[in-house]
Amino acid sequence: MNPEALRLWDGPVLGIETSCDETSLAVLEGLSVRANVVSSQAKLHEQWGGIVPEAASRAHVEAFLPAMEQALSESGMNLSGITAISVTNRPGLVGALNVGLTAAKGLAYALEVPFVAIHHLEGHLLSPLLDDPDLRFPHVCLLVSGGHTEIVRLEGLGAYRLLAQTRDDAAGEAFDKTARLLGLGYPGGAAIQELAQGANPERYPLPVALEKEETLDLSFSGLKTAVLRLVESEGASLDKPDAAASIQHAIARALVLRGMQATEREGVDCLTLAGGVAANERLRQSLAKECERRGWRFRTPSAEYCTDNAAMIALAGSWRLAAGQRSGWEAEPESTAPLPGPVES
Ligand code: KG4
Ligand code: ZN
């Protein structure tokens, strides 16, 4: 993207992300990530096989100050060097969001610096810019995480159009739920990827929903049912690595299919992949290959900016702050919210 269009806040921005189960604090200056600390609660929630909202809020409170201290120390600065704050306020778990948002307000008040409340998905959508400031618009983004599976057209900063989404489970949820059926830990995506290494993805044919339908929508609930049936019918003879590889193959096939169809239909020549599931190597490689075959650009952030992180939130806030957007004390956490629009004045 041309540097003029990507005008960022002049000075260190503190990014805060607490929408789900990662407490993340980052310091961003221009496009340079001076620190990106992520304290994950995955181990805590593993015992319940999923996220318990009340436990998540408490854990954010505990992790917040140590993570902030670490982010400041890694970036070699004091709190007094922070010139603006960018915080996720939507969508997500309200109690969890509130921890970050309340902290952001307190810090903004005490430091007498502006703050801006950010839509979590805008962070994911813009995350490829952290590694590639030359990213071109318009392009299509395949946004795949534990809570979201969306296909979005990005016309530019703040100009996003939702093209399609999942009709039921998110892609990350499909990884998590099927991993659980295989007796693997939570979160399941990384566990499935690891177990699938070197295994046979063709061993257990699994369905790709809506494959032949005239839609860009996705659906993963049928996959979960198919894996349940597979586990029940195979019993002790189930080859778990092959099952993991087959699951990964089915999810990747569905996402690659829609990614290609959406990019083609929108008449653009660049596809990005963002969100926690974008950390999946098999998916990254397949999309890269298919885009290359068509002469399209493919961009995806490095793995640390795929899963939830505050660097991407600081980036989304940085351009909004530079364009004059500010939030007030009345800003609230919101469990659901449409994609954000242009800068509000
Ligand atoms: O973006 P994220 O950190 O949190 C949400 O906003 O949801 O995404 C978390 C999701 C989880 O479902 C996790 O299983 C999945 O991303 N994930 C992966 C991998 N690493 C994380 N899925 C597939 N392969 C991976 N390597
Ligand atoms: Zn996320």
Side-chain angles (χ1 to χ4, degrees), residues 17 19-22 51 91 120-121 124 143-148 170-177 179 185-194 248 251 274-284 303 305-309 312:
E17 159 62 42
S19 68
C20 193
D21 62 342
E22 332 273 359
I51 296 160
H120 180 77
L121 296 189
H124 279 304
L143 203 178
V144 278
S145 71
H148 296 270
E173 234 177 321
F175 271 111
D176 296 338
K177 289 180 176 172
Y186 169 87
I192 287 196
Q193 170 169 311
E194 205 184 314
Q248 181 171 255
I251 296 174
V277 178
N280 189 271
E281 270 310 315
R282 159 80 170 69
L283 178 63
R284 293 163 86 93
Y305 305 135
C306 289
T307 43
D308 285 352
N309 68 89
M312 68 182 190

Side-chain angles (χ1 to χ4, degrees), residues 254-290:
L255 293 172
V256 170
L257 176 71
R258 291 299 185 245
M260 295 303 114
Q261 287 172 332
T263 312
E264 174 98 58
R265 196 183 288 187
E266 288 301 304
V268 297
D269 64 356
C270 175
L271 176 71
T272 64
L273 174 70
V277 178
N280 189 271
E281 270 310 315
R282 159 80 170 69
L283 178 63
R284 293 163 86 93
Q285 282 165 13
S286 301
L287 285 170
K289 199 174 96 196
E290 291 302 321

